[in-house]
Amino acid sequence: MEQGTSRTLDRRASAAWLRRFARTTPGVVAVIAIIVSAICVIAGLVCGGQLDGRIAKHREVLDQSEPLAYSAQNLYAALSAADAAAASAFLSGDESGPVRVQYQRALADAAAALADVTAGATEAGTRAAAAELSAQLMAYTGLVEAARSNSRQGFPVGSAYLREASSLMQTTTLPGAEKIFTRDLAAVDEDQRAVGSLPLVGLALLAVALAAIAVGSVLVYRRTNRQFNIGLVVAAGLVVVVGIWMVVATQLAAGAIDESRTEGTAKFAQLAKARILAQQARTDETLLLITRGDITASEKSFNERIAQMNDLLNSASSEASNPVGDWTASHRKQVDVYLGGDYSAAVDQAIGGDPNASAAHFAAVESGLRGEIEDTRATLRDGVSSAGTWLTFAPTGALVLMVLAAVAAVVGLWPRLKEFL
Amino acid sequence: MRTRIGMAVLALALVAGCGTQPPPPPVTVAPVEVTPAGVKDVTAGATQGVDDCNQEASLRPGPLPAPGAMPAGSTMAAIAERGRLIVGVDQNQYLFGYRNPFTGQLEGFDIDIARQLARAIFGDPDRIQFRVVAGSEREAVLQSGDVDVVVRTYSINCERKSKVAFSTVYFYADQKILVRRDSEIRSAADLSGKRACAVSGTTSAAKLYGLDPRPTVLGAPTWTDCLVMLQQGQIDAIGTDGVVLAGLAAQDPNVVVVGPNISVEPYGVGIKQENVDLVRFVNGVLEGMRDNGTWEALYNAHLRSFGPSPGPPPARYRD
């Protein structure tokens, strides 16, 4: 009890002494030195941390979100390619031919991409979506094999199995894959924007530091009648340098990111979508020959997809739009001979080896788009990578310079304090 | 003693702490359900079936001109001038009009009837151009003149007869049902509460819907879609012409055609309504086929799997 009272009395006494000391000139100078240097160190830590966060985001884009979106694109394209190849292989009736190999290749690609997408997925929602795709892919291949075994026996029901498989792929699996791709690409975009954003909290603290230095200078001038304190001036200069460095570095990074987003991410999304549309149109055109019924619906779907694809290719100013014209011309020819009742000529026009047949034109469109997607991916990554380069030394620089500013303030004020001791 | 109790409490708290930590939820997905594209519930039908137009009666043929000598100014002469007969057909109807996957050629009873028409005009059954038409476009392609005739399991009924002309009946198709071999369904009456399939927009779909008691009727784009659903257990029965069902049954040893006839469908050759001379000509060719044994020969070539020939349907005329 007694101990407690005396401790409180002690505390009260020292607090009173401090208050008295703070009102004296050396007290004021000491308080200014402490506050200015503390704010400088805190601002340095925050600026460094914020810049470091941007560098970490840039690493995250390069190491995680971009590869994940790329895998999702591969998955989406491989699934759609598998469906196009399955229809062509069914139509050709060739068990060991090149189209069958394409189908198997596309399935393997899809399985590989599925593993990448699942491994990179941190949220349960994406993992569940990937698991659904996996289950659907198994059902799909079962239906394709049922189609094949029926067709081998000459049973027309084989074509119905293939159409059921394709319907599963087109109406359930591909939209699921598209959702994963869109989500992953949005994550890339979000991370990219985070890399190039201004570190506002850090800049605000720098402003606070400048204000503290200004107020401190005025107080010191009033108390000591010395106009400039060299230490405080140096500290202010350092704060300004750090501020400029931060703004310039993040603006340069933002420029690189902007290019990476428009020439990379946005174009990547358009080209990937165009590639899927090309494959879906290809599925329409071969499925039409497998269905052997009313072609109105599949013709409508084919034409809509080609139109959508052309729009995307134009806005992405893609070179791949050139062979699309040849392809649609060949498609027209296929439909004409089909309606004329010359089925085998229609099949030849669709999947034959002739360089003027649809198969060759589609392959040209597809490989053109694939190449451009790879190029766009490189643009995206290069932009993010150079944004990271602009920021590399900024966190350390900001911290070191702000500590120096704190030191400068203390060193500059020390002679004023010493005069009274 | 105290410390021991404390230890025990601590241990209990630790264990309890572990127990309350729930495991992260595993990913779960539902089994994949597949269904052919474009399958819809049928919710209308059974308005037809009323024969208030003497539907099977067609125009009486005159004397048949010799091949290659069509009367001047006639529709047949215009076809002869063109050099080929344009025929609307199906290529998915096993045994009637279908593409043989091994030869790539169109074959079937309907296809051969069409070839007989070409033979009667040109003296050559191969002077023919097939055009694949969907069931729903048959009237339109005749009215626009895109094809000369339609030979495509074309049931004659009064509604269609108001838009196009028909030849005499060349085949009677019995409407029956196809079920799995182990099914308890033995007739249309057993379909109560079951799921039955037919192609959307066909007279078969309408007739299934008109059954009493009414089954759940699903409309699919093609007959083979119905067979896929039957094989996958999504439906219990398929109801349509016996010939179509036999074509489906031939593709799967586990299904059978059962039951008494739900109805009888008369097949005729569809012709543009204005081409009266062509209607009479086609009826003349059909008449000849009935008399000289060609009809029997075609039946035996394509449809013997249904059992012995019932003989060609007798022609009915309204002059």
Side-chain angles (χ1 to χ4, degrees), chain B residues 272-289:
Chain B
K272 190 176 184 180
Q273 208 147 33
E274 290 76 29
N275 295 341
V276 175
D277 52 352
L278 187 57
V279 177
R280 290 189 196 276
F281 179 80
V282 169
N283 283 341
V285 176
L286 292 176
E287 193 73 64
M289 288 171 63

Side-chain angles (χ1 to χ4, degrees), chain A residues 29-376:
Chain A
V29 172
V31 166
I32 289 169
I34 289 167
I35 288 179
V36 166
S37 58
I39 290 179
C40 283
V41 170
I42 289 170
L45 283 170
V46 170
C47 288
Q50 281 200 298
L51 290 166
D52 228 18
R54 277 151 186 75
I55 289 177
K57 274 287 178 208
H58 127 276
R59 283 255 59 95
E60 212 173 297
V61 173
L62 294 180
D63 297 343
Q64 283 172 32
S65 53
E66 192 280 335
L68 191 56
Y70 180 71
S71 305
Q73 190 276 141
N74 277 342
L75 174 61
Y76 191 15
L79 288 172
S80 154
D83 200 34
S88 291
F90 182 87
L91 197 54
S92 72
D94 193 353
E95 297 291 309
S96 53
V99 233
R100 173 80 184 162
V101 175
Q102 270 176 29
Y103 169 67
Q104 286 165 328
R105 179 76 257 155
L107 283 185
D109 288 349
L114 202 52
D116 281 345
V117 166
T118 316
T122 42
E123 36 168 356
T126 308
R127 283 204 304 277
E132 269 167 20
L133 290 191
S134 185
Q136 286 159 9
L137 193 56
M138 283 185 252
Y140 174 81
T141 53
L143 292 173
V144 169
E145 294 312 308
R148 215 157 63 90
S149 58
N150 271 294
S151 179
R152 272 192 78 76
Q153 299 171 72
F155 296 156
V157 72
S159 72
Y161 272 102
L162 194 81
R163 275 180 287 126
E164 190 179 51
S166 187
S167 164
L168 170 68
M169 179 60 81
Q170 299 290 336
T171 59
T172 313
T173 312
L174 284 182
E178 186 183 12
K179 226 175 271 169
I180 296 182
F181 173 57
T182 317
R183 200 185 298 171
D184 287 353
L185 206 62
V188 174
D189 201 53
E190 203 175 298
D191 287 353
Q192 277 177 308
R193 274 183 297 166
V195 176
S197 64
L198 274 179
L200 291 174
V201 177
L203 288 174
L205 281 173
L206 290 182
V208 169
L210 271 184
I213 290 170
V215 169
S217 300
V218 170
L219 290 178
V220 170
Y221 168 66
R222 280 191 192 153
R223 294 271 175 172
T224 64
N225 269 332
R226 293 181 197 224
Q227 274 188 327
F228 291 111
N229 182 289
I230 299 292
L232 288 180
V233 170
V234 168
L238 285 171
V239 170
V240 170
V241 167
V242 169
I244 291 172
W245 188 353
M246 277 181 71
V247 170
V248 169
T250 49
Q251 283 315 101
L252 286 172
I257 287 293
D258 271 350
E259 199 196 329
S260 146
R261 284 178 63 209
T262 52
E263 292 301 306
T265 322
K267 204 171 159 189
F268 187 77
Q270 286 169 333
L271 291 173
K273 185 74 194 148
R275 186 179 174 194
I276 305 299
L277 283 166
Q279 286 161 341
Q280 287 178 316
R282 178 68 180 155
T283 307
D284 283 339
E285 122 178 314
T286 40
L287 214 52
L288 174 160
L289 294 172
I290 292 167
T291 310
R292 297 192 294 219
D294 187 2
I295 66 165
T296 331
S298 51
E299 269 299 275
K300 187 163 167 273
S301 162
F302 178 89
N303 289 330
E304 280 170 4
R305 282 175 172 152
I306 293 287
Q308 270 185 50
M309 177 174 75
N310 277 331
D311 286 350
L312 285 169
L313 293 181
N314 283 339
S315 70
S317 51
S318 160
E319 301 272 309
S321 53
N322 300 336
V324 174
D326 295 336
W327 178 20
T328 45
S330 165
H331 175 79
R332 289 276 85 76
K333 204 162 150 194
Q334 173 205 323
V335 170
D336 286 347
V337 290
Y338 172 82
L339 288 179
D342 195 346
Y343 183 75
S344 20
V347 170
D348 273 351
Q349 190 65 37
I351 63 169
D354 186 340
N356 285 318
S358 301
H361 295 311
F362 164 71
V365 173
E366 222 282 326
S367 72
L369 280 170
R370 201 170 47 216
E372 286 189 26
I373 286 173
E374 292 299 330
D375 293 348
T376 316

Side-chain angles (χ1 to χ4, degrees), chain A residues 157 161 164 291 339 343, chain B residues 91-92 99 131 231-232 251:
Chain A
V157 72
Y161 272 102
E164 190 179 51
T291 310
L339 288 179
Y343 183 75
Chain B
Q91 54 178 353
N92 253 347
R99 197 167 293 281
R131 210 193 121 167
Q231 290 179 345
Q232 292 176 337
Q251 303 177 44

